[in-house]
Amino acid sequence: MSNGQRIGARVLRRKPIDQLTHPGSELKRTMGVGHLTMISIGATLGTGIFVVLGEAVPQAGPAIVLSFVLAGITALFSALSYAELAGLIPASGSSYSYTYATLGEIVAWVCGWCLVLEYGVSVAAVAVGWGQYVNELLHLVTGLRIPEALSQAPGAGGIVNVPAVLVVVIAMLVLLGGAKGSARTNTVLVWVKVGALLMFCAVAFTAFKAGNFAPLFPLGLAGMSAGAATLFFSYIGFDAASTAGEEAKNPQRDLPRAIIISLVVVTALYCAVALAAVGAMPWQTFEGTEAALARVLTDNTGSTIWPILLSIGAVVAITSVVLTVLYGQTRILYAMSRDGLVPSIFSKLTPNGVPFVNTVVVGLFIAVLAALVPLGALADATSIGTLFAFALVNVAVIILRRTEPDRERSFRVPFSPVTPLLGLAFCVYMMFSLGLDTWIAFLGWMVLGFVIYFGYSVRKARLGVQASD
């Protein structure tokens, strides 16, 4: 066998599903369908509606409601594929593990590398949004604001974003206490933020003006698509739930249920809030608005009570997103480390089942990212990584239906392969709705990933070590 053939065999090797499920995993099975659903909602319902709405409305205009629908439909197709694979392969690695079983090691590495981008940048983006609402809350209560030098990244006119660093460090410390305690904390936070959004809708609809939706497409269909692509970063929650595959009590039954329930709940809330927000405030005034929903209430009620209550809810809401998405990031790296693709230190567990070094390293790295990079760039980078990973999951469903048709599935994607193919097409379409700068950053990240893979991972992968024994 030539060197080229040997390298080709290495990078295309697939990991058997029975090895991916890890029945003897050291992670503790403590989560039921309620906890898993709350993780999914907790990771999804946050900055996408509280903060990034202000970034996306100027792109789409009043059609922002349809942007949420488009993003939700795209997410639904992929969520169905996730639900089938989460029940079939209840592993911590989420789509990384799914592609390892279907498309080969190099594609799994690419997917995992995208997930590192998706999760890490998403936590940083969410943390930046948290800082905006903390500043807004401080201003509403005291009339003061955190100085811009200490509340904005260098690219946004500041020096360092201290509030963003603070929330990441808090979430890191909570995760170090163990998954079960983190899940309970997250459940409380989710109920608070759902209540805050329902309160916003109730107040904003009293100021609803139908004329704010005319014309519906001032920036064309391309604007609606661009808005959907920016907003798509808000839909990574069900991926976060699937990373809990080895900590779920009954993953085959509960993971598919949690994924579908959470997506339906979140999409309905997103559309209702977007409709209320644009109905209460002309879309042109969202440009450059931080803490957009609080601004809507301030402008339409003339009172500080409602904006204060909403800002408190937003601070709580975004905290839960930081917590759950940071959790998902550590579990992705845990799975990749266990497979030998990244150093083994990332899969070392404490006696209470916490990947300590993994959590600390990831938390500190993301804190630095949140301190120094503006929100808009972070949101788009998250969206492209998310869409790419979701596209691969749709492909994985089609392949596994052909290669392992008789394996028991607790949930099956309806109308396969049409549904997964539609999911793939929607993901690709929205990827190409993102800007050139985002694509350049994404391709640069991929180049770095391939350097690491061929310089380290391809030789250290445990699947390769086992094959040579």
Side-chain angles (χ1 to χ4, degrees), residues 402-452:
R402 295 181 64 87
T403 58
E404 304 216 28
D406 299 326
R407 186 175 284 271
E408 183 179 352
R409 289 163 168 82
S410 58
F411 175 85
R412 298 178 70 90
V413 176
F415 310 114
S416 182
V418 175
T419 304
L421 286 173
L422 285 171
L424 173 63
F426 271 88
C427 287
V428 172
Y429 170 72
M430 291 226 292
M431 284 180 73
F432 281 99
S433 296
L434 291 166
L436 180 61
D437 289 348
T438 303
W439 272 97
I440 292 172
F442 177 68
L443 293 175
W445 180 256
M446 286 294 99
V447 169
L448 176 61
F450 282 122
V451 170
I452 295 172

Side-chain angles (χ1 to χ4, degrees), residues 326-346:
L326 183 60
Y327 164 85
Q329 168 74 292
T330 62
R331 269 44 181 186
I332 294 292
L333 276 178
Y334 172 82
M336 296 177 73
S337 173
R338 190 171 54 188
D339 290 334
L341 299 184
V342 296
S344 61
I345 192 67
F346 289 102

Side-chain angles (χ1 to χ4, degrees), residues 296-389:
V296 170
L297 295 185
T298 300
D299 288 357
N300 285 282
T301 65
S303 168
T304 60
I305 294 175
W306 297 114
I308 286 172
L309 290 175
L310 180 80
S311 296
I312 292 171
V315 169
V316 171
I318 299 171
T319 301
S320 77
V321 179
V322 173
L323 178 66
T324 50
V325 179
L326 183 60
Y327 164 85
Q329 168 74 292
T330 62
R331 269 44 181 186
I332 294 292
L333 276 178
Y334 172 82
M336 296 177 73
S337 173
R338 190 171 54 188
D339 290 334
L341 299 184
V342 296
S344 61
I345 192 67
F346 289 102
S347 56
K348 300 294 184 184
L349 300 179
T350 63
N352 63 339
V354 175
F356 181 85
V357 174
N358 180 341
T359 303
V360 172
V361 170
V362 168
L364 294 180
F365 174 78
I366 292 172
V368 172
L369 196 64
L372 301 177
V373 183
L375 176 64
L378 290 170
D380 283 349
T382 304
S383 289
I384 198 166
T386 305
L387 287 163
F388 189 81

Side-chain angles (χ1 to χ4, degrees), residues 63-102:
I64 191 64
V65 179
L66 298 179
S67 295
F68 272 116
V69 173
L70 176 59
I73 291 172
T74 303
L76 175 61
F77 286 128
S78 297
L80 293 172
S81 294
Y82 263 94
E84 176 168 326
L85 294 177
L88 184 65
I89 311 172
S92 287
S94 180
S95 48
Y96 155 75
S97 295
Y98 309 154
T99 51
Y100 211 160
T102 54

